Amino acid sequence: MKTILTTHSNPAGHWVGDGFPVRSLFTYDEDVSRTSPFLLLDYAGPHVFAPTSARRGVGAHPHRGFETVTIVYQGELEHRDSTGAGGVIGPGDVQWMTAAGGIVHEEFHSPAFAHSGGVLESVQLWVNLPARCKRAPAGYQTLPSAHIPTVNLGAGVGSLRVIAGEYQGVSGPARTFTPMDVWDLDLEAGAGLVLPVAAGRTAAVVTLRGALWLNQASEAGPCSVAILDRDGADVLLEAAHHARVLVLSGEPIDEPVTGYGPFVMNTPDEIIESIDGFHSGKFGRMP
């Protein structure tokens, strides 16, 4: 089994715009080598929003050098970006946006969700790109829930959605620049499961709701993340209560990481170049 390096939660949160009350479970300001190729994970909600005619969310802003992955559990979000892509995603849907060489985008509650109000719950994950891909063209993938395969884990265990990578011969729809698995699990109380995570890969087990025991050694409560060592293989999950869990694993990108807000590059000079590129319009304009 893989050794558990750290397990922690973040009860304190902050607002991103006026539409996303998030708790950051890990960021690129920490030891990125432990989570690479993953840079950041924000868990938004669950939060009840009253009906409104106003737009709630985050207006146009830039990114460069990585990808953002947004998974919606409750509510609806609307996305637009400078490539001309966009759309609405709801429960179970995923959007995978490649900032790479530079993009400008906005994220708001959908008009229908804002009008009706309700519970918003989502995750946003930032995925690093290797240096050779950081200047690739920007892009966008919409991954509707109906296109994300679900593996039945057996009676009394639960199910696993393969968003990216592969599980038991079932491949996820997301196109990635480096090898990784992004698995979305729904585990029943009392379920036990050994997940195949290869030696040499970094891995993180994110417990969104419920509670788990990891490798019979460490307890993970709601809104928590366990970071696993690259050495060793596999991880044992045992659900103390019904749990919603995100499991991330991938081949690490062993390169320098220099981040500044929405830009993640390899050197400080590239950050300056990114800021200048955004201000000079090289990331494109919102339609």
Side-chain angles (χ1 to χ4, degrees), residues 2-260:
K2 285 184 173 290
T3 302
I4 300 166
L5 297 176
T6 62
T7 302
H8 68 271
S9 61
N10 184 4
H14 63 278
W15 282 85
V16 176
D18 63 357
F20 304 100
V22 307
R23 288 166 284 180
S24 298
L25 296 184
F26 60 84
T27 76
Y28 62 72
D29 294 326
E30 300 161 6
D31 184 356
V32 175
S33 67
R34 292 186 170 192
T35 58
S36 177
F38 309 107
L39 294 167
L40 173 149
L41 188 137
D42 280 347
Y43 179 35
H47 185 86
V48 178
F49 285 91
T52 182
S53 58
R55 298 186 81 195
R56 289 194 182 110
V58 184
H61 60 283
H63 290 292
R64 190 184 188 204
F66 61 99
E67 302 184 283
T68 67
V69 181
T70 304
I71 306 168
V72 174
Y73 292 98
Q74 300 182 76
E76 276 190 349
L77 301 179
E78 183 177 41
H79 165 95
R80 292 195 315 141
D81 66 46
S82 54
T83 72
V88 173
I89 58 172
D93 299 337
V94 177
Q95 68 176 24
W96 197 295
M97 187 188 77
T98 302
I103 200 169
V104 179
H105 79 137
E106 64 180 27
E107 300 166 287
F108 286 96
H109 298 182
S110 73
F113 177 69
H115 180 75
S116 66
V119 179
L120 178 70
E121 182 183 15
S122 66
V123 162
Q124 186 166 99
L125 172 70
W126 290 14
V127 179
N128 199 13
L129 293 174
R132 68 180 187 277
C133 302
K134 284 186 178 291
R135 300 174 190 273
Y140 179 78
Q141 303 174 66
T142 300
L143 309 176
S145 180
H147 295 173
I148 299 173
T150 298
V151 177
N152 188 331
L153 300 174
V157 180
S159 61
L160 181 153
R161 299 198 313 151
V162 187
I163 296 171
E166 181 268 340
Y167 180 80
Q168 292 186 350
V170 177
S171 296
R175 301 183 303 273
T176 66
F177 284 78
T178 59
M180 69 187 69
D181 294 316
V182 178
W183 298 333
D184 179 27
L185 285 79
D186 188 71
L187 297 178
E188 298 183 24
L193 176 69
V194 175
L195 290 175
V197 180
R201 281 195 170 198
T202 54
V205 177
V206 183
T207 307
L208 302 175
R209 290 179 251 136
L212 295 176
W213 280 97
L214 303 174
N215 294 347
Q216 298 182 321
S218 182
E219 186 175 10
C223 190
S224 69
V225 60
I227 308 299
L228 309 179
D229 197 1
R230 294 185 191 182
D231 294 336
D234 304 339
V235 57
L236 171 62
L237 307 184
E238 296 173 288
H241 306 284
H242 181 260
R244 194 69 188 238
V245 182
L246 198 59
V247 176
L248 314 170
S249 71
E251 290 188 5
I253 300 172
D254 289 324
E255 297 174 352
V257 171
T258 300
Y260 180 79

